Amino acid sequence: MELWDLYTKDRVLTDKKHIRGNELPNNYYHICVHVWIKNSEGKYLISQRAANRPSFPLMWECVGGSVLSGEDSLQGALREVKEEVGIDLDANSGKLLFSQLRDIIDGKKFNDFMDVWLFEYEGEIDLSKATTNEVACTKWLSRQEIQKLFDDGKLVSTLKYFFDKVDKS
């Protein structure tokens, strides 16, 4: 069972908790993280969602997920990367690029604060070190290659912000 802290629309922590999978209560929000990882060649680590994922199976994305109760955004980002792709990032190599309040997108209730992180990382990816099976495979891709995935409908559509807000950083 995954437990999330709930926040007000002004990102004030409440004493309320939420169990993942239940509908989020109106006027409450949780924190999710998107983690972009960039190497010295200017390429980004992109992961393909496993076929058994309930949303966007086999689509490409950055690492990400929901921040657990008791974690802050950075702790959640580091945990998600370890869980999904098996790497331990240096907290000092990352920066929060932006945070966005999301209510409803394409008719789906998100009710979250999406914190977008950028980390530098050099090294190989060994999915056998991942602690979940959420990722089928990974690739290091250039901006142009990520644009092609997006144009071909193979990149999760909510990541469109990458081209204006991440790759320009």
Side-chain angles (χ1 to χ4, degrees), residues 129-168:
K129 294 180 180 178
T131 60
T132 67
N133 62 354
E134 297 176 35
V135 172
C137 64
T138 62
K139 294 181 185 182
W140 289 100
L141 296 179
S142 68
R143 181 194 198 285
Q144 294 77 17
E145 291 167 318
I146 295 169
Q147 181 73 57
K148 174 127 176 56
L149 281 179
F150 184 78
D151 293 345
D152 292 346
K154 295 179 181 177
L155 186 75
V156 173
S157 61
T158 57
L159 301 179
K160 183 178 183 176
Y161 67 80
F162 167 82
F163 305 103
D164 296 325
K165 296 187 176 183
V166 175
D167 191 51
K168 306 258 190 238

Side-chain angles (χ1 to χ4, degrees), residues 74 78 89-95 119-120:
L74 175 59
L78 296 171
L89 291 175
D90 176 2
N92 296 319
S93 76
K95 68 178 179 176
F119 284 85
E120 297 172 8

